[in-house]
Amino acid sequence: MASSPAETSKSIKLERYNSYIRRVNSTKLLNASSKLLFRATLLVALILVFLFTFNYPPLADTTTHTHTHTHSHFLSFSSAAWEKQVRHSATTRRPNAMIVLVTGAAGFVGSHCSLALKKRGDGVVGLDNFNPYYDPSLKRAREAMLGKHQVMIVEGDLNDTPLLQKLLDVVAFTHILHLAAQAGVRYAMQNPQSYVTANIAGFVNLLEAAKSANPQPAIVWASSSSVYGLNTQNPFSELHRTDQPASLYAATKKAGEEIAHTYNHIYGLSLTGLRFFTVYGPWGRPDMAYFFFTKDILQGKPIQVYETPQGKQVARDFTYIDDVVKGCLGALDTAEKSTGSGGKKRGPAQLRVYNLGNTSPVAVGRLVSILEGLLKTKAKKHVIKMPSNGDVPYTHANVTLAFRDFSYKPTTDLPTGLRKFVKWYLAYYGLHTRVNKETHSSSSFS
Ligand SMILES: O=C(O)[C@H]1O[C@H](OP(=O)(O)OP(=O)(O)OC[C@H]2O[C@@H](n3ccc(=O)[nH]c3=O)[C@H](O)[C@@H]2O)[C@H](O)[C@@H](O)[C@H]1O
């Protein structure tokens, strides 16, 4: 049926009105869905910000699932590219080479040992959590130096079990050189928990991963001269008592020696503990006296030199880094294989402890005089009684055992070693004034 013109115009208007309403509604719908989308995006963004800000999942998981490397950053630790880099770093370049996981590789002794191993053709993979106990930029500089020699440091924590398992799965390490630890004798009064976490829990976690690995690696690890504690027999021999630690640091290192015994006994892990005696040298630790004395003397700041409660000089068997590196490599070279497999002991395994010292203690006052000479600056020296915060009056190593078993023989005296340290210090921090030309002799770590 045909419609009238009036009806037609009314129906056209109605149609236009309906179409207008549909457009308005669809725009409203669009606006509503955009708003919904916007709110959802905001919510997701807020959740992400929360997760990153409050570090969830916990640090042990987040930091260790990534790593830095000179060529690429933050690869997932399970990615094929990450595994390739780890294997590349573990590549050996000599017959019968060892493949070593070095924990604490961005640390003082760890970086030196990693480089020495790599230079002689061994495969090396580092592990370090880059914690801020002392300036992490120094650890990054050591990492960069190792990167130039194709040594990769995986950024991760000893307490990250999946990471350790992954590393031991990806590479059949023959050895672990375990140097990662919470160091420092006096800092244990300020942050006791950090010593338990790194030196006890972290060590156990590493041993757990090692005992389950196939093959089980042999382990050489850093104990400390501080385990001799209040021992008065002199020089310190491995046969002397070590059941009187004077600091929590010493107690955790002594606990490590007992834990090593347990894992050797139950699982057949080959374990060698090295008692380091106040190691110093280029690329050293800024928390140690020789290092911050150098800084304070150059800045004209006062330094405190401790004396015993009886007014005697405090002394240390200061040991130069190159001598300690030789000792570490000697211990690795003579470490026998672990005997267990699949987490089970198959026979008795090697268990050893050695002193790595210099065998000639030097008073701290003499250390200061040597630095004054090298820096051509008089120290503002205050002699005070040694605070009772874990320190011991003197250390002195007997190294007969290490000499017998791997020809360990320290060859660097304190003036020679400090000269090399000062040369490095001035170059590293860009300070070249007021210093003896003599200090510009050769350095060990370049
Ligand atoms: O052999 C070890 O196993 C340990 O060695 C190192 O400990 P220590 O021998 O105590 O070194 P370090 O602090 O440099 O003090 C050196 C001397 O300066 C004296 N000292 C110290 C500070 C100060 O302000 N004044 C001072 O006279 C102080 O009394 C001491 O006589 C490592 O840090 C430690 O991690 C561990 O490895």
Side-chain angles (χ1 to χ4, degrees):
M1 196 166 67
S3 1
S4 69
E7 273 172 343
T8 307
S9 133
K10 200 173 161 190
S11 100
I12 287 170
K13 275 185 189 158
L14 200 64
E15 184 48 44
R16 277 187 190 152
Y17 177 70
N18 283 342
S19 135
Y20 167 71
I21 291 297
R22 274 199 302 275
R23 275 206 314 274
V24 166
N25 281 342
S26 74
T27 313
K28 270 187 186 161
L29 204 68
L30 206 66
N31 281 346
S33 53
S34 316
K35 270 183 195 158
L36 203 67
L37 192 70
F38 174 72
R39 281 181 190 157
T41 313
L42 197 69
L43 192 68
V44 170
L46 282 173
I47 289 170
L48 284 175
V49 166
F50 177 83
L51 290 182
F52 279 103
T53 309
F54 294 98
N55 189 27
Y56 182 87
L59 195 62
D61 290 329
T62 50
T63 54
T64 52
H65 289 202
T66 58
H67 75 96
T68 49
H69 184 252
T70 32
H71 304 302
S72 68
H73 294 274
F74 304 115
L75 292 175
S76 155
F77 91 64
S78 54
S79 76
W82 180 86
E83 288 189 19
K84 199 175 158 199
Q85 287 188 346
V86 171
R87 286 203 189 91
H88 177 71
S89 188
T91 309
T92 60
R93 287 176 216 293
R94 69 177 170 95
N96 302 320
M98 44 182 76
I99 308 173
V100 192
L101 173 66
V102 180
T103 74
F108 172 36
V109 182
S111 54
H112 280 272
C113 285
S114 298
L115 186 63
L117 288 166
K118 194 71 183 180
K119 279 187 172 173
R120 70 178 203 176
D122 293 319
V124 181
V125 177
L127 175 71
D128 204 293
N129 71 2
F130 292 88
N131 74 40
Y133 165 61
Y134 63 78
D135 181 10
S137 74
L138 180 56
K139 300 178 185 184
R140 294 292 174 193
R142 297 183 188 127
E143 180 193 31
M145 183 279 305
L146 289 177
K148 284 185 197 147
H149 295 266
Q150 277 76 52
V151 176
M152 167 191 181
I153 301 183
V154 173
E155 183 166 351
D157 198 279
L158 288 175
N159 286 298
D160 185 343
T161 308
L163 174 64
L164 292 187
Q165 283 168 350
K166 183 79 193 172
L167 276 170
L168 295 174
D169 265 1
V170 171
V171 175
F173 289 106
T174 58
H175 296 75
I176 297 178
L177 181 58
H178 173 50
L179 303 172
Q182 175 59 60
V185 172
R186 290 162 285 279
Y187 179 66
M189 300 272 289
Q190 287 172 51
N191 189 357
Q193 210 55 48
S194 66
Y195 290 79
V196 178
T197 306
N199 303 0
I200 298 183
F203 190 29
V204 169
N205 209 46
L206 181 76
L207 293 171
E208 278 293 316
K211 72 119 203 284
S212 306
N214 262 321
Q216 286 180 337
I219 299 167
V220 174
W221 68 284
S223 182
S224 161
S225 72
S226 64
V227 299
Y228 290 105
L230 307 180
N231 171 51
T232 47
Q233 286 174 280
N234 202 17
F236 301 168
S237 143
E238 292 85 346
L239 300 173
H240 292 168
R241 60 188 290 196
T242 51
D243 58 352
Q244 312 164 89
S247 65
L248 181 65
Y249 170 71
T252 60
K253 286 295 182 182
K254 180 60 192 166
E257 293 187 358
E258 307 299 350
I259 290 165
H261 179 274
T262 308
Y263 275 79
N264 169 267
H265 173 69
I266 302 180
Y267 300 109
L269 277 175
S270 163
L271 274 147
T272 304
L274 301 175
R275 293 176 179 166
F276 296 156
F277 281 69
T278 315
V279 188
Y280 72 99
W283 296 91
R285 275 172 36 206
D287 63 313
M288 289 183 67
Y290 74 93
F291 200 117
F292 63 77
F293 281 174
T294 300
K295 182 174 178 222
D296 291 344
I297 292 170
L298 284 171
Q299 292 180 354
K301 290 185 183 161
I303 59 169
Q304 296 183 329
V305 175
Y306 300 156
E307 62 175 20
T308 68
Q310 297 74 33
K312 286 190 179 154
Q313 295 213 60
V314 167
R316 284 290 180 276
D317 198 4
F318 295 101
T319 310
Y320 189 63
I321 183 64
D322 290 4
D323 290 325
V324 168
V325 170
K326 280 186 209 145
C328 290
L329 269 54
L332 284 167
D333 288 338
T334 52
E336 290 171 7
K337 285 189 175 156
S338 294
T339 61
S341 66
K344 285 214 166 63
K345 185 177 180 178
R346 310 277 169 195
Q350 195 180 35
L351 180 68
R352 308 182 293 174
V353 167
Y354 295 103
N355 288 340
L356 289 187
N358 194 51
T359 71
S360 54
V362 177
V364 177
R366 166 88 183 116
L367 166 92
V368 174
S369 310
I370 298 168
L371 286 176
E372 286 177 325
L374 292 168
L375 300 169
K376 291 197 153 184
T377 310
K378 195 102 192 98
K380 292 188 178 129
K381 201 165 70 176
H382 297 295
V383 179
I384 63 160
K385 292 271 181 282
M386 191 172 89
S388 44
N389 54 6
D391 230 323
V392 292
Y394 70 90
T395 61
H396 183 184
N398 173 332
V399 298
T400 314
L401 269 188
F403 178 71
R404 182 195 72 190
D405 291 354
F406 45 89
S407 311
Y408 171 76
K409 200 174 188 317
T411 57
T412 315
D413 62 14
L414 190 60
T416 309
L418 281 179
R419 178 175 300 130
K420 290 180 179 179
F421 164 71
V422 166
K423 184 199 169 194
W424 168 82
Y425 183 95
L426 297 173
Y428 184 77
Y429 291 105
L431 310 160
H432 299 284
T433 52
R434 293 179 301 180
V435 178
N436 239 328
K437 276 225 153 44
E438 269 181 69
T439 57
H440 294 269
S441 60
S442 70
S443 165
S444 57
F445 192 68
S446 53

